[in-house]
């Protein structure tokens, strides 16, 4: 296990904030978590981190940050059609997606290029282009930092919801590995019906997993900032869900309002609400609203966590004033 003190988190948060932590532990074997337990690390505050791609860290942290560096990927069970693949929490998510494609396994190709690591995929229930991690997660192995034991949860026990799960609430659990159920060629079904995915693939006679990956990568690159170039944490807000009555009220005032019907109401793209309020491409100091996708707040260079939080609050106020809708951050705020 690696241990660093007074450690800079600059390269561990995709907003690119210059913050630090008192201690940084990087473990390569899951048993090392028991060692941290014995040292009393889990008695106070601590923060598990993947690649810091969904975090807004406001200040220096006077407590430990813990990162998995378990990078194994193994096939643990196979049938004619399916394959169970177990990946360590420290595997870079997009490298995992590439691995599945090179093994001709379908299921996560639409989640190409999402920043972060495997460990965050169940926590956030990451999703894009019509697929969510919950669709393929079969089991999640966790370490319980209160009880000092390892546990395995079935996918059905993870309380997955839109960008959330039991792991967002039960903060004592650290994800150690995730087992995905993937589908072998030629049995997988491609999901091409979100946005312009099918359009980007037009002209191909047969569509491979790699073709879908390439299309998703192209779409993402055209809309989303690369964390290596512009600091951001992907979508900053969740898309709000409103009731039928509320939706009808909105539609009367805004007949062109985009929406998706979901189980508990109508999901309205926050990007649209933010654009309508005139925020697209705007900045307050070094904190900005990305011009190509206004759901993404960016660090134009030298912004601090508090600058992003100020911008967040101004956007929330505008959307509340104009639409009577409360936007909630999707990014985890570490204050
Ligand atoms: N829109 C605008 N103006 C814009 C961009 C979008 O009005 O400039 C509206 C349009 O109506 C568009 C709609 O927003 O149809 C949806 O836009 P998009 O398909 O880009 O997706 P999103 O709802 O804004 C969600 C996820 C993204 C994910 C995309 C694609 C959330 C919070 N975000 O964004 O996830 O990549 O769908 O599936 O659900 C992330 O979680 O960090 C993330 C990037």
């Amino acid at each position: 296990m690696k241990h660093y003190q007074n450690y800079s988190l600059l390269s561990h948060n995709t907003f690119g904030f210059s913050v630090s932590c008192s201690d940084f532990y990087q473990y390569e074997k899951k048993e090392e978590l028991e060692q941290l337990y014995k040292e009393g690390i889990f008695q106070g505050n601590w923060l598990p981190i993947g690649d810091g791609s969904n975090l807004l860290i406001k200040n220096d942290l006077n407590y430990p940050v813990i990162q998995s560096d378990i990078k194994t990927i193994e096939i643990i069970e196979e049938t004619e059609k399916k394959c169970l693949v177990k990946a360590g929490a420290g595997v870079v998510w997009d490298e995992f997606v590439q691995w599945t494609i090179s093994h001709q396994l379908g299921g996560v190709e639409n989640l190409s290029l999402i920043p972060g690591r495997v460990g965050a995929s169940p926590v956030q229930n990451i999703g894009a282009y019509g697929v969510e991690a919950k669709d393929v997660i079969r089991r999640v192995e966790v370490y319980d930092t209160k009880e000092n034991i390892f546990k395995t949860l079935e996918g059905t026990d993870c309380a997955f919801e839109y960008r959330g799960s039991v792991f967002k609430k039960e903060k004592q659990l650290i994800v150690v590995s995730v087992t995905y159920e993937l589908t072998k060629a030629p049995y997988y079904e491609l999901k091409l019906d979100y946005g312009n995915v099918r359009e980007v693939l037009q002209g191909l006679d047969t569509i491979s997993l790699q073709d879908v990956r390439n299309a998703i990568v192209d779409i993402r690159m055209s809309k989303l900032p690369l964390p290596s170039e512009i600091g951001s944490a992907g979508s900053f807000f969740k898309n709000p869900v409103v009731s039928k009555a509320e939706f009808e009220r909105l539609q009367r005032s805004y007949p062109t309002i985009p929406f998706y019907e979901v189980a508990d109401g109508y999901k309205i793209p926050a990007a649209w609400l933010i654009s309508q309020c005139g925020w697209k491409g705007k900045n307050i100091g070094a904190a900005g609203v990305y011009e190509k996708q206004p759901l993404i707040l960016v660090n134009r260079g030298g912004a601090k966590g508090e600058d992003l939080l100020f911008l967040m609050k101004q956007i929330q106020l505008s959307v509340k004033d104009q639409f009577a809708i409360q936007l909630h951050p999707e990014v985890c705020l570490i204050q």
Side-chain angles (χ1 to χ4, degrees), residues 78 120 142 161 167 173 199 283:
E78 266 186 86
V142 294
E161 56 182 21
F167 312 109
L173 303 177
E199 195 185 311
N283 300 317

Side-chain angles (χ1 to χ4, degrees), residues 29-317:
K29 291 193 224 91
K30 64 180 193 182
E31 292 72 23
E32 288 170 338
L33 288 167
E34 294 170 314
Q35 189 184 324
L36 292 177
Y37 178 90
K38 284 181 197 129
E39 288 174 22
I41 299 298
F42 300 122
Q43 275 164 22
N45 275 339
W46 53 278
L47 175 73
I49 197 171
D51 276 334
S53 51
N54 202 48
L55 297 180
L56 188 156
I57 304 176
K58 192 176 165 207
N59 299 310
D60 289 342
L61 306 177
N62 60 358
Y63 52 82
V65 170
I66 292 154
Q67 187 189 46
S68 166
D69 208 24
I70 303 177
K71 292 194 178 290
T72 47
I73 304 180
E74 49 181 334
I75 294 176
I76 55 168
E77 215 180 293
E78 266 186 86
T79 61
E80 187 201 340
K81 295 185 180 171
K82 300 279 182 182
C83 204
L84 287 186
V85 180
K86 182 174 171 181
V91 175
V92 171
W93 173 260
D94 197 51
E95 289 176 11
F96 174 66
V97 175
Q98 185 56 66
W99 184 97
T100 65
I101 288 167
S102 60
H103 286 73
Q104 284 298 304
L105 296 170
V108 291
E109 58 283 357
N110 289 33
L111 306 180
S112 289
L113 212 64
I114 292 187
R117 297 189 179 205
V118 159
S121 64
V123 181
Q124 276 290 102
N125 182 23
I126 58 171
Y129 306 100
V131 175
E132 283 185 310
K134 74 169 172 56
D135 304 337
V136 285
I137 291 179
R138 176 64 89 76
R139 286 197 276 277
V140 182
E141 184 188 13
V142 294
Y143 173 71
D144 189 322
T145 54
K146 280 200 181 130
E147 295 175 29
N148 186 26
I149 51 168
F150 291 94
K151 297 177 183 169
T152 298
L153 278 79
E154 295 298 312
T156 46
D157 294 330
C158 295
F160 286 126
E161 56 182 21
Y162 171 52
R163 293 299 190 278
S165 69
V166 67
F167 312 109
K168 269 207 164 167
K169 293 164 199 145
E170 309 269 329
K171 301 269 190 200
Q172 81 275 16
L173 303 177
I174 293 182
V175 175
V176 173
S177 72
V178 184
T179 301
Y180 304 89
E181 185 180 273
L182 302 172
T183 308
K184 290 183 180 175
Y187 300 106
Y188 53 72
E189 270 175 51
L190 301 177
K191 298 212 170 85
L192 310 176
D193 291 325
Y194 184 100
N196 60 337
V197 177
R198 202 178 281 281
E199 195 185 311
V200 172
L201 287 160
Q202 236 173 24
L204 296 177
D205 292 342
T206 52
I207 301 171
S208 68
L209 292 174
Q210 187 66 48
D211 293 329
V212 177
R213 173 173 169 77
N214 294 346
I216 300 286
V217 168
D218 284 353
I219 295 170
R220 289 190 74 97
M221 299 270 275
S222 70
K223 283 194 186 172
L224 310 177
L226 272 182
S228 54
E229 285 166 14
I230 305 178
S232 90
S235 298
F236 195 94
F237 298 101
K238 288 186 193 167
N239 288 322
V241 174
V242 300
S243 67
K244 188 163 195 275
E246 212 176 334
F247 175 69
E248 284 168 357
R249 171 187 67 77
L250 286 162
Q251 213 180 24
R252 276 195 294 276
S253 310
Y254 304 92
T256 59
I257 188 168
F259 65 93
Y260 307 94
E261 252 189 281
V262 289
D264 47 348
Y266 290 77
K267 193 180 262 190
I268 314 290
W272 185 84
L273 298 168
I274 297 168
S275 291
Q276 291 292 307
C277 293
W279 280 106
K280 195 166 174 166
K282 291 273 169 65
N283 300 317
I284 300 184
V289 180
Y290 195 52
E291 36 293 340
K292 294 186 205 160
Q293 214 318 358
L295 191 49
I296 295 178
L297 304 191
V298 295
N299 175 0
R300 303 269 182 211
K304 292 191 162 62
E306 62 199 65
D307 301 326
L308 266 298
L309 286 176
F310 184 73
L311 177 61
M312 170 189 93
K313 285 181 189 143
Q314 300 311 307
I315 293 172
Q316 284 173 320
L317 282 173

